[in-house]
Amino acid sequence: MITLRGLTKRYGDRTAVRDLTLEVPAGRVTGFLGPNGSGKSTTMRMILGLDRPTAGVALVGGRPYGALRHPLREVGALLDAKAVHPGRSARAHLVAMARSNGIAVRRVEEVLDTVGLTAVAGRRVGSFSLGMGQRLGIAGALLGDPRVVMLDEPVNGLDPDGVLWVRGLMRSLAAEGRTVFVSSHLMSEMELMADRLVVIGRGRLIADAPVAEVIAGSSRNAVRVRSPRAGDLAALLAAEGVEVVEVEGWDLVAVEVSLERVGLLCHEHGIPLYELSAREASLEEAYMELTGASVEYGAAAGIPAAGAGARAGVAAGLGAVAGR
Ligand SMILES: Nc1ncnc2c1ncn2[C@@H]1O[C@H](COP(=O)(O)OP(=O)(O)OP(=O)(O)O)[C@@H](O)[C@H]1O
Ligand SMILES: [Mg+2]
């Protein structure tokens, strides 16, 4: 378990991390999301004792990193895959790590095998591709067989096979009861990999909840209806304050209302239904709504912000899916 209490980091007059209080539980994969510059890497560095908090504490298994007797055996991390001596072989790098941390050297061959680098373990790390470097970084994180695994953008640069492999590995580490804390900008991947999410923006906590709960909070969730009496249903929904949007291919699409509510309303008023279906928001849509106001380094023009209740945006987004 990782515990943050009031964790704050200021660089000069800039606050990178602001009063973060949360727990990353064991036995789950927790995704760590937020726009560029929102403070994810800074938070991870403070958890590893690489940066000193301006205020608050970061604890691993209830203790600050500096108080851990065998840090690599308690928390394994990958923050920067390029932070490896390029002239060393992958094996020599891991052996040096093992020796300096009191870890049996035979463990090196196990982790090389786990990450699929055995065949190239004798090669200079400087000749490794981006994905091979990521794999070596993950091998280093696993070396001490730690209870807590923390990875900063581990799937960055990996091919589809590698992405699938990281996902399976994270899931199996969590299934073994370990704490897995992983940052990424790939929302579709996070939706598949994570059980829970911590979302930050400009250093502040925006969400800390199970993935399903974060998605359920999106205004892009909708109920779609095909019915010969859609007009009557629309009037009933409007009377309840439910927003109805126009979407091609559907007689009626209502947002921020449950499938059950629409079904019961139709039943109560004898409105025939040809089709009633739920359109679930993607994590990407939910994330864009949550962080829209916190993006610091956005492009000047481009995709309109997915502000809550932005009617045109909602209809356009839902339409794209309905038309599939
Ligand atoms: N050593 C440092 N000195 C000064 N400012 C820093 C330092 N490290 C980070 N920052 C600032 O802190 C803020 C948070 O940066 P951080 O790297 O933690 O963001 P991030 O969420 O990891 O972003 P990304 O998604 O781009 O990796 C940024 O404004 C960054 O410029
Ligand atoms: Mg970062």
Side-chain angles (χ1 to χ4, degrees):
M1 187 167 76
I2 299 169
T3 309
L4 311 182
R5 282 198 215 118
L7 192 68
T8 300
K9 181 69 188 180
R10 278 191 288 275
Y11 293 110
D13 59 358
R14 190 175 179 93
T15 304
V17 175
R18 197 181 298 254
D19 196 21
L20 280 190
T21 296
L22 58 97
E23 252 172 34
V24 182
R28 300 272 183 278
V29 176
T30 301
F32 193 19
L33 314 181
N36 288 134
S38 57
K40 302 179 297 298
S41 299
T42 303
T43 300
M44 288 182 159
R45 282 200 306 276
M46 287 192 284
I47 293 168
L48 292 175
L50 296 171
D51 245 339
R52 186 201 290 267
T54 308
V57 288
L59 308 174
V60 177
R63 298 161 77 181
Y65 189 87
L68 300 176
R69 267 174 67 86
H70 300 288
L72 273 207
R73 297 199 214 159
E74 305 198 41
V75 47
L78 165 62
L79 292 197
D80 180 2
K82 290 187 288 295
V84 175
H85 191 299
R88 271 192 189 158
S89 71
R91 182 176 283 117
H93 166 71
L94 293 171
V95 166
M97 266 180 92
R99 288 227 167 96
S100 56
N101 285 278
I103 296 166
V105 170
R106 70 181 135 69
R107 175 76 184 145
V108 168
E109 298 307 319
E110 285 173 22
V111 294
L112 282 168
D113 188 49
T114 303
V115 304
L117 288 180
T118 303
V120 293
R123 266 174 57 182
R124 288 175 62 245
V125 173
S127 72
F128 275 17
S129 70
L130 182 60
M132 288 160 80
Q134 292 287 81
R135 283 172 186 261
L136 178 60
I138 293 172
L142 298 178
L143 195 62
D145 197 18
R147 299 299 301 159
V148 175
V149 177
M150 193 167 69
L151 308 174
D152 199 3
E153 303 189 38
V155 296
N156 193 8
L158 290 186
D159 59 22
D161 182 62
V163 171
L164 193 67
W165 168 72
V166 170
R167 187 194 311 156
L169 180 66
M170 296 304 110
R171 301 240 34 102
S172 67
L173 291 170
E176 289 164 6
R178 297 177 212 256
T179 303
V180 182
F181 194 38
V182 189
S183 78
S184 178
H185 289 296
L186 301 178
M187 292 303 126
S188 53
E189 186 48 41
M190 272 292 146
E191 198 170 347
L192 296 170
M193 191 195 295
D195 302 296
R196 298 183 58 83
L197 296 173
V198 169
V199 185
I200 62 172
R202 297 181 191 251
R204 286 177 207 269
L205 187 67
I206 294 178
D208 174 14
V211 177
E213 207 173 289
V214 171
I215 291 175
S218 169
S219 71
R220 301 297 180 103
N221 290 299
V223 172
R224 304 179 298 195
V225 175
R226 287 202 309 119
S227 164
R229 285 181 54 202
D232 295 340
L233 178 58
L236 290 166
L237 287 168
E240 296 198 355
V242 174
E243 189 178 8
V244 173
V245 293
E246 277 172 39
V247 175
E248 204 180 323
W250 295 92
D251 295 323
L252 188 149
V253 174
V255 292
E256 294 184 70
V257 63
S258 71
L259 204 58
E260 291 79 5
R261 183 69 204 122
V262 176
L264 281 174
L265 210 54
C266 289
H267 176 71
E268 281 164 23
H269 294 270
I271 294 173
L273 281 174
Y274 298 154
E275 188 170 347
L276 176 65
S277 65
R279 187 270 175 183
E280 194 179 76
S282 65
L283 176 59
E284 181 178 69
E285 289 170 322
Y287 170 85
M288 297 301 269
E289 284 180 56
L290 283 174
T291 59
S294 310
V295 175
E296 285 183 89
Y297 309 107
I303 303 165
R311 195 184 160 96
V314 170
L318 298 176
V321 169
R324 256 181 217 163

